[in-house]
Amino acid sequence: MTDGFQSCAITGSGGSGAVTAGMMVLDAAARAGCYGLMTRSAGPQIRGGESAAMLRFGASPVACMGDSFGILAALDWGNFFRFAGEIPLTAQTLILADPGAGKVPPQLEAYSEQIRWVNLRELADSLPGGRFNMVAVGAIAACAGLPLAAVLQAASAILRAKDAAVIDASHACISLGFQQFSSDGKEPLGKEPDGKKTTALPEVPRRWSISGNEAAGLGALRGGVRFVAAYPITPATEILEWLAPRIARLGGALLQAEDELASINMIIGSSFGGVPSLTATSGPGLSLMMEGLGLAVASETPVVLVNVMRGGPSTGIPTKSEQSDLNIALYGLHGDAPHLVLAALDIGDCVLTLHWATRLAEHLQTAAIVLSDQLLGQSRAIIDPPGLPELNLARRCMPLDQGGDYRRYQFTEDGISPISAPGVPGGSYTADGLEHNESGTPSSMAGDHAAQLAKRRDKLTRFDVGPLWAEISGEGDLCLLTWGSSHGAVLEAAATLNASGRPTRVIGLRLIAPLQRDALLAAISGTRVWVVELNQDGQLFHYLRSEAALPEHAMSFARPGPLPLRPGEILTAIAAEATDDHR
Amino acid sequence: MTTASSETATHSSTTLRAKDYKSEVKPVWCPGCGHFGVLAALTKAFAYLGLPKDEVVTVSGIGCSSRIPAYIDGYGFHGVHGRALALAAGLKAARPDLTLVVAGGDGDGFSIGGNHFLHACRRNMDMTYVVMDNEVYGMTKGQASPTTQPDWSHSKLTPRGTGVPRFYPAAIALAAGASFIARGFSGDPNELVRLLVQALEHPGFALVQVLSPCVTFRPEQKGWKQAVHPVAEPAPDDPGKAASLIQSDDGLAIGVLYAQRQPVYQPRNRAEAELAEIEAEFLL
């Protein structure tokens, strides 16, 4: 644990139980009082293929995976080579391997001295109902210094739907695996030598175990969303699957649509009916939803769309992450179509960002695109429960004493017109994607077009969004400006820079459009700016350039996914700045 | 059988007349367009049923016929091409208390919106879909639609005709699981009002294909006045019999082609939990 965190990667074939084992280790770390983060990686296969869980945990919140892993536990070697880029190893990495899993792959020949053998299969087979991934959980826990009691509690919790015999077998396997490394001279923390099942653990704060996709769903519910239209797509589907039963319990509804075109139009319909509404998708689906988003903008119908980014373009890399949908989110709509674009900065922030986006869309009567990505969506974190901010942003409803003079698209000082909903007497209107006048009557006259365009722009640009537009931390003459899941790696890079005597400021943009240009310019004033992001061409960098929101000397550090950004490569880029050319 | 030729409400305490449902917006339709008759029939049907103006919502896509929401004094949504049924499904799911009429044309409904049409039929949400079928794209000045005859060669886009068989709305609706299928003619307003009333009263998805002549790009459709005829027999409630009737149909038979009670899909639920209970699931 050189950096205050413990980290491990568990790899195996799909179905070997690598992800379940990772969940158990993460849960155990939480019960031992740690914060944690677990990311998943898999190929595009439906069943089989390769699968990996990558974990990092410690006494402080975990922002990202580190530059390398302390432990590699291989359940088997099937397709191990596919993880070569995702699981960096060092001379200090401890490799747990099962002699029954076959020959060690050539990629690990240089690390042969670091391999510690454990008979996962043989030990599992010695117990009735034993599973070798559970033996591995025990072995990993012992090597990582987790108390056995925490692991046993975690197993009970994760397997609670199973028969008692399954839980007992898992406990026995975990204990066996644990003993392999708790008695060989390497003392684990909180050792439980007799393998007791229910040893009390010290009191630890009650934290949340939550994935980014679950957090996005929860944020939407906090924001008041009570209708969702859904079409499955990786890696956004879990938002919808999590929401389906829960929104029903809250009196709302989720409707599985026939396609993305239907999804976006369904939520426009439900929102027109007065119910805050959301859909979730990923790149290809976002492309299909652009026409509908334009309709929401033109008709001033509030909708929220969560786009969980994956490698693109086209079908791209569906199971792995990238931050390359910013351009389409900003510019994909035809015509002059001002709308909101937000990005969540970490798993916990998915709750806040979705909550805020929903309320902003409702208040400003427009479309909000919220960008998440596979790395956020399909990772699970141990976090402190996110607070519930006061966001007094609601639909501005028409006054009930309108006296027959109700004009849906009435010009107001701030551009926000009072809205009605079907069933409200005196509030009737036709929402329209055609250009229209204040009453909603279709109009192709130049004056009406210019006035309505300006109204729809001004209501966004004149609105005071307050301090939530960005997360700003640290002071210094170096500024790392980033968005989305890259925020974690940037924070950690900045911590290293600060510790090495180079004071660094970090800005994570939460509201990307409309850009809070003046506030941003003030925040980066007097600093050397680096814009850091996970896409090939520096999409945020070029957007900020086009908005005249960057100083001439600003630098871009951008590279494509799917490998997540690591703190070390950001530091390397900054260190090499003198020899870099400007973009 | 319901009779609904009167302009006034006959079984409601309200006194709304058909003209009360008309807005002051002047239609963009060509003089003589069949859609005027559909608009008139719709407002008469609303008046007959005494529907509160604020609780009827008309939803449409794009095209000549899709302009209808602006011409009705009530809530409406004029959306984008082909997506009216999807928008209406979301609205109905969120607001089951409303009466929904979806209006559109043959291109909007059966070409760009074809997938939504299939799934609206099988989803069977409670709404009435009025398709004004003139076998041509009028708003873009005369291209072939899915219901156009394969040898119609008057479009610059398909100067040798489409060469593809026609789309038969009734047959496809039946195969896709629609629970009410009717065909009307805009030149027979009394019968059309009667069909619309039945469709509005039908619980579930009701398709009313209205033959509505395009006098500008398909002037020969003026001949529909003489060609249409009543359906040969009362509407069957058996899909097999309906399939037989529809297969032998010449496309000009007016009346209800199929009607059957089927479960109506409505996903809206009653609240049984607080958000705090759901948040508690995350606590370790």
Side-chain angles (χ1 to χ4, degrees):
Chain A
M1 205 186 287
T2 55
D3 56 1
F5 293 109
Q6 188 62 269
S7 62
C8 68
I10 307 168
T11 65
S13 302
S16 64
V19 173
T20 304
M23 295 270 286
M24 224 168 262
V25 175
L26 182 72
D27 192 314
R31 287 167 198 277
C34 294
Y35 294 89
L37 179 67
M38 183 184 108
T39 64
R40 284 156 43 186
S41 182
Q45 75 281 348
I46 310 304
R47 286 278 187 269
E50 72 278 14
S51 174
M54 289 160 259
L55 295 96
R56 198 168 180 226
F57 47 88
S60 53
V62 184
C64 63
M65 286 296 136
D67 292 309
S68 61
F69 286 88
I71 300 169
L72 165 65
L75 301 185
D76 59 50
W77 301 114
N79 291 316
F80 179 81
F81 67 94
R82 293 183 190 274
F83 296 117
E86 293 182 61
I87 304 174
L89 307 178
T90 68
Q92 283 73 49
T93 303
L94 175 67
I95 299 172
L96 300 182
D98 180 4
K103 200 171 169 218
V104 175
Q107 293 87 355
L108 293 181
E109 276 172 7
Y111 302 92
S112 56
E113 293 294 315
Q114 296 156 234
I115 294 177
R116 303 183 79 184
W117 298 100
V118 52
N119 291 302
L120 301 177
R121 283 166 180 75
E122 201 177 300
L123 291 169
D125 289 346
S126 72
L127 295 165
R131 289 179 57 87
F132 64 90
N133 66 328
M134 293 294 103
V135 181
V137 167
I140 295 163
C143 293
L146 292 171
L148 178 60
V151 193
L152 298 178
Q153 281 186 10
S156 298
I158 288 172
L159 302 173
R160 62 186 175 279
K162 307 275 187 189
D163 292 341
V166 173
I167 296 172
D168 286 346
S170 294
H171 281 189
C173 286
I174 290 166
S175 299
L176 263 183
F178 192 90
Q179 284 160 12
Q180 297 300 303
F181 295 102
S182 62
S183 57
D184 66 353
K186 192 174 164 59
E187 283 292 308
L189 299 174
K191 186 174 67 166
E192 298 294 333
D194 57 357
K196 278 191 291 186
K197 291 180 185 175
T198 52
T199 307
L201 285 165
E203 187 101 354
V204 297
R206 292 201 74 185
R207 298 201 174 107
W208 279 15
S209 171
I210 190 167
S211 75
N213 279 340
E214 292 168 349
L218 175 62
L221 293 181
R222 280 188 173 185
V225 165
R226 291 298 180 271
F227 180 79
V228 174
Y231 190 75
I233 184 167
T234 302
T237 310
E238 291 144 8
I239 296 179
L240 306 163
E241 289 176 335
W242 184 84
L243 277 167
R246 291 166 181 87
I247 202 166
R249 290 179 64 204
L250 295 174
L254 182 142
L255 208 163
Q256 180 169 334
E258 53 270 27
D259 56 27
E260 285 91 347
L261 304 164
S263 294
I264 187 71
N265 282 279
M266 281 176 175
I267 67 168
I268 292 170
S270 54
S271 179
F272 171 73
V275 178
S277 300
L278 168 140
T279 188
T281 191
S282 189
L286 181 61
S287 296
L288 290 173
M289 291 184 183
M290 283 297 155
E291 180 197 44
L293 284 167
L295 174 61
V297 170
S299 63
E300 303 198 45
T301 311
V303 294
V304 179
L305 185 160
V306 190
N307 180 57
V308 187
M309 294 177 287
R310 63 195 214 183
S314 190
T315 314
I317 308 180
T319 55
K320 296 187 181 179
S321 208
E322 199 164 71
Q323 293 178 290
S324 48
D325 291 348
L326 181 60
N327 281 347
I328 186 178
L330 289 168
Y331 306 119
L333 285 69
H334 66 267
D336 290 312
H339 59 283
L340 303 165
V341 179
L342 300 96
L345 295 165
D346 58 44
I347 289 176
D349 194 57
C350 288
V351 181
L352 172 63
T353 301
L354 260 297
H355 184 177
W356 191 41
T358 306
R359 299 323 308 168
L360 281 177
E362 289 287 311
H363 183 71
L364 297 170
Q365 299 174 24
T366 193
I369 300 174
V370 181
L371 298 170
S372 175
D373 60 43
Q374 184 272 339
L375 201 60
L376 287 182
Q378 296 193 317
S379 293
R380 177 165 293 277
I382 307 300
I383 58 172
D384 291 316
L388 196 56
E390 279 289 323
L391 300 174
N392 295 315
L393 301 168
R395 285 193 196 198
R396 184 179 301 168
C397 295
M398 64 163 277
L400 292 174
D401 57 354
Q402 198 73 34
D405 188 33
Y406 176 63
R407 283 166 290 156
R408 167 66 186 97
Y409 301 109
Q410 183 182 6
F411 299 120
T412 61
E413 200 164 312
D414 61 8
I416 304 170
S417 312
I419 192 169
S420 62
V424 176
S428 67
Y429 72 103
T430 296
D432 210 320
L434 273 178
E435 194 55 279
H436 42 258
N437 60 21
E438 282 185 280
S439 299
T441 305
S443 168
S444 59
M445 289 193 287
D448 285 332
H449 183 48
Q452 290 292 331
L453 282 177
K455 169 193 192 299
R456 296 193 289 262
R457 176 195 60 204
D458 294 347
K459 71 178 178 179
L460 303 192
T461 53
R462 288 178 184 166
F463 181 68
D464 179 4
V465 301
L468 288 177
W469 65 275
E471 285 296 307
I472 303 175
S473 55
E475 295 288 346
D477 59 3
L478 175 64
C479 177
L480 303 182
L481 174 55
T482 191
W483 65 288
S485 63
S486 293
H487 190 234
V490 167
L491 282 175
E492 194 154 311
T496 304
L497 287 164
N498 282 318
S500 68
R502 179 138 195 219
T504 303
R505 161 164 279 206
V506 172
I507 301 175
L509 276 184
R510 188 181 284 114
L511 180 64
I512 301 179
L515 185 67
Q516 304 301 296
R517 183 171 167 272
D518 292 344
L520 177 60
L521 284 171
I524 63 177
S525 174
T527 66
R528 176 72 160 161
V529 180
W530 278 84
V531 181
V532 181
E533 55 196 312
L534 191 68
N535 55 65
Q536 177 177 267
D537 292 327
Q539 296 186 8
L540 179 68
F541 179 79
H542 288 292
Y543 167 64
L544 296 177
R545 270 263 187 268
S546 72
E547 295 280 330
L550 286 179
E552 183 56 34
H553 58 260
M555 302 285 290
S556 168
F557 176 72
R559 68 150 172 83
L563 301 183
L565 282 184
R566 297 193 187 281
E569 60 184 317
I570 300 169
L571 295 171
T572 303
I574 292 168
E577 178 182 347
T579 58
D580 260 357
D581 57 343
H582 289 219
R583 282 186 184 244
Chain B
M1 184 179 289
T2 313
T3 55
S5 58
S6 166
E7 278 201 26
T8 53
T10 56
H11 63 202
S12 162
S13 59
T14 62
T15 55
L16 288 168
R17 299 170 64 87
K19 66 181 175 60
D20 296 322
Y21 292 92
K22 285 187 181 164
S23 78
E24 292 173 357
V25 180
K26 191 172 174 293
V28 294
W29 299 323
C30 307
C33 175
H35 300 348
F36 285 104
V38 182
L39 175 61
L42 261 178
T43 56
K44 285 178 186 174
F46 294 160
Y48 175 78
L49 292 168
L51 298 173
K53 283 180 9 177
D54 294 317
E55 293 171 17
V56 179
V57 184
T58 316
V59 176
S60 70
I62 294 295
C64 300
S65 50
S66 288
R67 290 291 186 117
I68 255 184
Y71 309 146
I72 290 175
D73 184 15
Y75 284 91
F77 208 122
H78 183 203
V80 288
H81 201 27
R83 316 286 166 232
L85 285 170
L87 197 146
L91 177 56
K92 190 68 187 178
R95 293 290 306 277
D97 55 309
L98 302 172
T99 299
L100 248 64
V101 173
V102 186
D106 37 301
D108 185 72
F110 305 139
S111 190
I112 188 168
N115 193 33
H116 307 308
F117 174 61
L118 295 178
H119 293 280
C121 289
R122 65 182 272 260
R123 196 175 281 126
N124 202 36
M125 296 182 85
D126 189 14
M127 61 182 72
T128 298
Y129 186 30
V130 182
V131 183
M132 287 157 253
D133 187 355
N134 52 20
E135 302 169 357
V136 74
Y137 284 87
M139 189 151 269
T140 48
K141 296 192 167 57
Q143 294 80 32
S145 89
T147 54
T148 302
Q149 299 88 334
D151 59 351
W152 186 74
S153 56
H154 294 258
S155 166
K156 291 176 184 170
L157 206 54
T158 51
R160 296 180 180 181
T162 66
V164 248
R166 297 170 66 172
F167 183 102
Y168 285 93
I172 290 164
L174 182 72
S179 57
F180 181 96
I181 301 166
R183 186 183 296 120
F185 174 49
S186 65
D188 183 356
N190 289 346
E191 174 66 2
L192 184 55
V193 173
R194 191 179 69 81
L195 291 175
L196 289 171
V197 166
Q198 283 182 269
L200 285 161
E201 289 186 322
H202 174 77
F205 182 78
L207 168 68
V208 184
Q209 177 199 5
V210 184
L211 304 178
S212 182
C214 174
V215 296
T216 301
F217 297 105
R218 302 295 304 267
E220 73 277 15
Q221 289 173 346
K222 289 175 187 166
W224 278 348
K225 188 86 177 169
Q226 288 73 43
V228 296
H229 55 87
V231 290
E233 53 187 278
D237 60 3
D238 175 78
K241 286 183 184 161
S244 174
L245 179 73
I246 288 168
Q247 287 297 329
S248 60
D249 170 44
D250 62 358
L252 295 165
I254 304 304
V256 180
L257 301 168
Y258 174 65
Q260 191 197 54
R261 291 287 179 115
Q262 286 173 8
V264 175
Y265 179 62
Q266 180 54 56
R268 182 88 180 174
N269 300 280
R270 231 179 1 187
E272 59 184 39
E274 298 288 331
L275 188 52
E277 295 172 48
I278 287 166
E279 297 198 357
E281 295 175 20
F282 295 115
L283 266 178
L284 276 172

